[in-house]
Amino acid sequence: MSKMIVGNWKMNGSVKLVDEFIAGLDKQVILGLPSIFIAYAHLKNPEMQIAAQDCSVFGDFGAHTGEISAKMLADVGCKYVILGHSERRKNMNSDTIDNILLKLRNVVQNKMTAILCVDENYMELLDKSISDFIKTHTNEIVIAYEPISAIGTGIIPSPDDINKSLKNIKLHINNVKTLYGGSVNTKNITEILSIPFSDGVLVGGASLNLYDINTMASYS
Ligand code: PGA
């Protein structure tokens, strides 16, 4: 089975870049777009596999100015939601363990797949409440292991170290699917995809280049 290739544009991109990707993105890639582009991309190319980069802790609708619910994301064609990215946990006090659990519930209830990011201290986030929930939803939740030291730095741990962490996570949670993220690019993709306990990759910066992300997909 081919491995998952997920892109995360973070707060980057433009309508022009979205148009380029709509026309040429490998169908296998799941692309994490800024929420403002999701409906546009889906309407122009309903085949595109789109991820959001976060969702609200609140349920479907309500008086919550500025929030976007999981239900709304599903309504505009989103199939995946990235949650708990370290950039959000670091900068936004709102991504606490309790809130991440609420977000996971909202994503699953709306029949999407959550891509839950964890860092070197993954056991902290995978505390009992979150682990118990994931154990009962292993088909709908994927864990992306992203060491903070590797995000955007070009410095990645050895394949053996990555493999050990992914294996620990799978042992902790019923064989949950795991991705590796942090400085993945066209040069290291084959090595990372061949890590036995990896089910795919989460690609940040390099996912903004259509040729690069398609090249990575061609190896999966
Ligand atoms: P990077 O980001 O590939 O630019 O290191 C990965 C991520 O933060 O998901």
Side-chain angles (χ1 to χ4, degrees):
M1 210 182 76
S2 58
K3 297 201 173 184
M4 282 173 80
I5 308 287
V6 185
N8 175 14
W9 275 14
K10 310 188 180 185
M11 197 180 74
N12 294 297
S14 59
V15 173
K16 188 164 173 274
L17 193 67
V18 175
D19 278 337
E20 193 191 319
F21 275 61
I22 286 169
L25 185 63
D26 187 301
K27 282 194 180 61
Q28 193 196 322
V29 177
I30 297 159
L31 190 60
L33 291 172
S35 53
I36 194 153
F37 299 133
I38 293 175
Y40 174 78
H42 177 68
L43 288 172
K44 284 196 111 178
N45 182 0
E47 306 269 279
M48 199 164 169
Q49 302 198 75
I50 303 171
Q53 300 174 15
D54 186 36
C55 73
S56 179
V57 292
F58 298 114
D60 308 349
F61 303 107
H64 306 296
T65 303
E67 292 289 295
I68 298 175
S69 69
K71 191 177 186 71
M72 291 169 171
L73 293 170
D75 189 34
V76 294
C78 195
K79 295 280 188 296
Y80 297 82
V81 183
I82 297 168
L83 290 178
H85 193 284
S86 59
E87 285 156 10
R88 295 195 59 77
R89 290 209 307 277
K90 188 174 62 190
N91 300 327
M92 277 154 263
N93 297 330
S94 64
D95 267 1
T96 58
I97 288 181
D98 287 350
N99 285 348
I100 288 176
L101 185 57
L102 289 169
K103 293 178 183 190
L104 281 172
R105 287 213 170 96
N106 291 342
V107 170
V108 168
Q109 260 166 22
N110 285 283
K111 304 198 172 2
M112 296 181 289
T113 299
I115 299 170
L116 175 64
C117 300
V118 299
D119 58 28
E120 290 92 332
N121 300 316
Y122 49 86
M123 284 316 234
E124 221 172 78
L125 184 65
L126 298 177
D127 89 324
K128 196 165 167 2
S129 58
I130 293 205
S131 293
D132 285 350
F133 184 75
I134 301 175
K135 280 178 190 160
T136 55
H137 295 91
T138 42
N139 288 331
E140 299 120 310
I141 300 173
V142 175
I143 296 186
Y145 169 61
E146 301 204 301
I148 292 174
S149 57
I151 295 179
T153 59
I155 303 162
I156 64 170
S158 73
D160 261 8
D161 283 348
I162 295 173
N163 198 42
K164 270 187 207 134
S165 302
L166 299 181
K167 183 178 175 188
N168 277 343
I169 293 170
K170 279 181 192 281
L171 285 175
H172 184 59
I173 306 186
N174 286 354
N175 233 1
V176 66
K177 270 202 185 132
T178 55
L179 311 178
Y180 168 77
S183 296
V184 178
N185 58 38
T186 51
K187 293 197 180 76
N188 57 30
I189 186 76
T190 49
E191 193 177 27
I192 291 173
L193 287 178
S194 63
I195 293 173
F197 284 94
S198 131
D199 298 293
V201 288
L202 178 52
V203 185
S207 71
L208 285 154
N209 182 300
L210 183 60
Y211 175 81
D212 283 3
I213 194 79
N214 282 346
T215 303
M216 289 187 238
S218 74
Y219 291 121
S220 74

